Amino acid sequence: MTNGDPLLLDACGCINLAAAFPLESLSADLGRPIYIVEQAASETLFLHRQIDGERVKVQIDLGAIPALRLDGDRELELYVRLAKRLGDGEAASLAISHCRQLELVTDDRTARKVAGREAPNARIRGTAEILKALATSMAPPDDEVARALRRVESYASFRPPHDDPELSWWLSAREFAE
Amino acid sequence: MTVASDVPLPVLGARLREARRARGMSQADAAAGIGVSRPTLISVEQGKRVPTAAELVDFARLYGRDVHELVRDTPPVEALTARFRAVEQGSRDTKAAVDELQRLADDVHELELSEGLTIQRRWPDEYDVAGLSSAAAATLAADEERKRLGLGDGPLLNLRQVLESDVGLRVFSLPMPSAVAGLFAVVEPVGGCIGINSRHPFERQRWTLAHEYGHFLLHRYSAEVTSVVPGRSRDEQTAEAFAAAFLMPKDGLIRRFQQARRQRGGTVTAVDVLQLGAAYEVSAQAMALRLEDLELLAGGWWDSLVQRGLKVQEARDTLGIAIQSRDEDTVPKRAQYLAVEAFLEGRLSEGRLARLLRLDRVAARDVVHRLAGSQDVAHEGETQRWLWEPEPETQASD
């Protein structure tokens, strides 16, 4: 992972990272500018938190993440082509990632498959990979990392799939006893 | 430039036309909104001109649609809204509900086609009830359907599942104006579609489902917008009578009523009626009126009880009769399973899954966990839980 390079989040990755850490500090913590495309940002982005025994939807504040807009025929044409199989946010994220060669954070199996065929320049990263990089570079206490991963599981209902290369790191890091 | 060139142009044109009409826009207004001439727009809608990517994105914005909705390659279910156009649609909110029913049917149809699965129709012929009174027609259809579906004469507790799985109808739960109970239409290629008001109480939703099923059996090819207050037309009266006879079959109900009466030494109280209503998952009022119709209670029994100050909810609370949760499953259960399977195997993205289920992403993930998981009890009595996950991907499967 190249330090300093911009990082693009699709809705799936954005939700997961927002559950782990405040998005306001993510860019500084990673040492990289963070972006989201307009279509992904406009898809309803909530975390589900347990408040007073009830599961409550909490809107994710995207104020700290600048939104990118599709620009030019090449991006628009790829976007429309990808939107045949993907949701608009996923298609727009992949189109910009491919055309501008930005790393894209998504855990979506379908988006990854489609990218392999139709947006090969898109460099895909998973949530676990980003959080592991963050844990390595920031070196927070182990219990803080464990709490962050549990927040992702609880607030975002996400755990890396069985074939995620960082699954074993995730499972081991989340179990750290406080 | 050939944008979305693998989408057949007539399909793309039909989708754009359908989206414009659903938005209530004229061709002239749409053309002006996109910045093209009206003949150009007509040519696109007729599938004779390929729109540019920028135009497609503009169309989506103008019509309030996702780009995905416009460029998928299944033809739109146009006939559904057209069928409803022929009937009185009422308010703008009702029209919005009809449009949403069409979009849901469209989404589920697309999913089924892409997964190579179609719904099995086990439809009976329309019942021949010519010359019969509404009550006789309703009783005939209800009894025959109970027999055909092997439902016996007891309470029918899984009505939606029966209609979806055993009959092959598509049932959707979606927000509608409070005065509208349901929608019904049969159109090809999607078949029979029923919409129930997701904001109504559970028992009212069940009644609506049975009412719309009555329309399916007796007046299949008329689209219906069902009001909470039943209409006076013969078709509406028959559908109401069908709902009563189908949900509360005469023989089984008489048996249970007599049992309750025997237990009380020959009398029946409001408590018994409330409990019978709960057992059949209908409102206390619906149960009382059915018992009056069957002459098991004197005519006007319910009205007099209400006049004397019966508070149904308080009585139910006292008796410990729980309020059932509203049915808010937007799409049929079968479509949910199909979507979750496609999602887990990488054929349906999370964005599309969430859109299909009309949920935010995290809620959609919860549905995946719920439907993909399975629980059982092991030998030692401990709970076991499995989560279905796809096999690791290989080059070949890609």
Side-chain angles (χ1 to χ4, degrees):
Chain A
M1 204 172 301
T2 318
N3 236 357
D5 283 352
L7 191 63
L8 189 61
L9 312 181
D10 85 345
C12 169
C14 181
I15 289 167
N16 295 341
L17 293 176
F21 296 110
L23 287 179
E24 305 88 81
S25 55
L26 189 63
S27 177
D29 292 345
L30 282 169
R32 314 173 64 171
I34 308 279
Y35 298 102
I36 190 165
V37 300
E38 285 179 337
Q39 286 81 351
S42 70
E43 290 173 0
T44 316
L45 299 177
F46 293 105
L47 297 175
H48 287 207
R49 297 186 62 173
Q50 205 71 23
I51 299 175
D52 295 335
E54 281 190 37
R55 204 147 156 81
V56 176
K57 285 200 269 190
V58 179
Q59 182 95 42
I60 297 170
D61 182 1
L62 293 175
I65 313 283
L68 299 181
R69 176 175 289 193
L70 290 156
D71 190 24
D73 288 345
R74 189 164 160 251
E75 288 184 1
L76 284 170
E77 283 170 22
L78 181 57
Y79 165 52
V80 169
R81 197 161 67 242
L82 293 171
K84 190 183 165 199
R85 288 208 55 200
L86 300 172
D88 284 14
E90 293 141 349
S93 300
L94 269 185
I96 286 187
S97 172
H98 172 83
C99 294
R100 303 186 197 181
Q101 303 204 347
L102 300 181
E103 283 189 350
L104 172 66
V105 183
T106 183
D107 296 281
D108 187 78
R109 186 179 292 271
T110 309
R112 285 167 168 253
K113 274 176 141 179
V114 171
R117 284 194 294 264
E118 300 190 49
N121 291 341
R123 290 174 292 153
I124 310 287
R125 305 290 177 215
T127 296
E129 188 182 355
I130 296 296
L131 291 178
K132 184 181 176 187
L134 201 57
T136 306
S137 66
M138 298 281 292
D142 288 346
D143 62 330
E144 199 177 305
V145 175
R147 277 199 301 273
L149 300 186
R150 287 180 196 159
R151 281 197 296 274
V152 179
E153 293 181 4
S154 169
Y155 301 169
S157 260
F158 175 83
R159 182 184 278 192
H162 66 108
D163 52 357
D164 189 302
E166 301 302 344
L167 176 62
S168 56
W169 168 79
W170 182 289
L171 294 176
S172 139
R174 77 177 294 287
E175 292 305 327
F176 184 84
E178 294 180 51
Chain B
M1 189 161 20
T2 55
V3 169
S5 56
D6 50 349
V7 180
L9 279 183
V11 171
L12 184 59
R15 286 216 166 271
L16 289 167
R17 185 176 60 240
E18 178 275 321
R20 174 179 58 74
R21 286 178 176 166
R23 198 68 165 180
M25 294 185 84
S26 67
Q27 289 176 329
D29 288 345
I34 300 296
V36 297
S37 68
R38 185 163 171 266
T40 298
L41 181 117
I42 292 171
S43 176
V44 169
E45 289 189 355
Q46 288 176 341
K48 293 176 181 166
R49 177 182 176 275
V50 185
T52 66
E55 284 168 352
L56 275 172
V57 172
D58 287 344
F59 275 125
R61 195 173 295 127
L62 187 68
Y63 298 154
R65 297 290 178 105
D66 287 351
V67 171
H68 170 77
E69 283 185 81
L70 300 180
V71 300
R72 55 187 161 182
D73 52 13
T74 50
V77 187
E78 280 187 285
L80 202 145
T81 43
R83 186 64 62 84
F84 277 101
R85 242 175 252 132
V87 299
E88 179 59 48
Q89 284 190 16
S91 68
R92 206 171 62 176
D93 288 346
T94 305
K95 184 183 178 306
V98 170
D99 289 342
E100 176 65 353
L101 181 65
Q102 168 165 308
R103 291 171 80 175
L104 285 165
D106 220 349
D107 288 349
V108 169
H109 184 55
E110 178 198 18
L111 174 71
E112 288 174 351
L113 284 182
S114 66
E115 292 298 299
L117 288 170
T118 50
I119 194 165
Q120 293 294 310
R121 294 182 185 179
R122 299 182 187 90
W123 298 4
D125 290 337
E126 262 185 287
Y127 283 91
D128 178 7
V129 291
L132 296 182
S133 68
S134 287
T139 303
L140 172 77
D143 290 351
E144 288 298 315
E145 276 304 282
R146 281 259 179 179
K147 273 187 222 150
R148 187 179 77 89
L149 297 168
L151 299 173
D153 64 3
L156 171 51
L157 304 184
N158 50 355
L159 177 59
R160 181 171 178 178
Q161 193 186 329
V162 167
L163 298 188
E164 288 177 350
S165 305
D166 297 346
V167 181
L169 298 178
R170 297 170 199 276
V171 179
F172 301 93
S173 177
L174 61 153
M176 299 178 195
S178 57
V180 176
L183 305 168
F184 163 74
V186 173
V187 288
E188 298 304 344
V190 288
C193 294
I194 292 175
I196 56 172
N197 193 333
S198 60
R199 294 168 175 146
H200 277 177
F202 175 75
E203 289 148 351
R204 175 67 232 197
Q205 291 178 322
R206 267 171 58 80
W207 186 271
T208 302
L209 255 184
H211 176 107
E212 306 300 1
Y213 190 43
H215 281 304
F216 171 77
L217 296 170
L218 297 162
H219 335 105
R220 187 165 300 173
Y221 297 100
S222 320
E224 293 292 336
V225 177
T226 299
S227 302
V228 171
V229 179
R232 290 184 179 176
S233 72
R234 181 185 146 80
D235 286 358
E236 278 299 294
Q237 295 296 322
T238 309
E240 280 293 281
F242 173 84
F246 192 60
L247 292 175
M248 298 170 280
K250 181 179 172 185
D251 292 349
L253 183 56
I254 290 175
R255 216 167 40 245
R256 283 172 174 77
F257 181 84
Q258 289 297 84
Q259 198 176 5
R261 180 148 60 189
R262 273 197 303 277
Q263 284 169 351
R264 284 206 186 266
T267 60
V268 165
T269 67
V271 169
D272 297 313
V273 174
L274 285 167
Q275 286 177 331
L276 275 173
Y280 280 81
E281 294 188 340
V282 297
S283 69
Q285 181 181 17
M287 176 54 71
L289 295 179
R290 176 71 171 148
L291 293 171
E292 288 181 25
D293 279 348
L294 294 174
E295 298 182 342
L296 296 168
L297 293 175
W301 183 88
W302 174 258
D303 285 345
S304 101
L305 210 59
V306 171
Q307 277 167 13
R308 280 185 280 144
L310 172 72
K311 292 192 168 49
V312 174
Q313 194 48 57
E314 283 177 22
R316 286 180 64 135
D317 290 346
T318 307
L319 292 170
I321 298 173
I323 296 176
Q324 298 236 40
S325 305
R326 283 191 297 256
D327 181 347
E328 294 178 302
D329 271 353
T330 308
V331 298
K333 194 62 97 181
R334 181 176 174 278
Q336 292 180 40
Y337 278 108
L338 204 56
V340 165
E341 185 184 350
F343 169 73
L344 288 169
E345 294 189 350
R347 296 190 300 273
L348 185 72
S349 70
E350 186 176 274
R352 284 185 55 202
L353 174 75
R355 209 194 90 79
L356 174 82
L357 300 176
R358 305 300 196 260
L359 294 172
D360 68 86
R361 298 292 189 99
V362 178
R365 292 174 185 182
D366 288 342
V367 170
V368 171
H369 294 313
R370 197 168 68 243
L371 297 188
S374 173
Q375 285 195 351
D376 202 349
V377 179
H379 297 305
E380 304 297 321
E382 76 275 19
T383 302
Q384 289 183 322
R385 186 164 196 280
W386 295 275
L387 183 65
W388 186 86
E389 289 209 76
E391 292 297 313
E393 287 172 38
T394 61
Q395 199 66 34
S397 71
D398 222 359

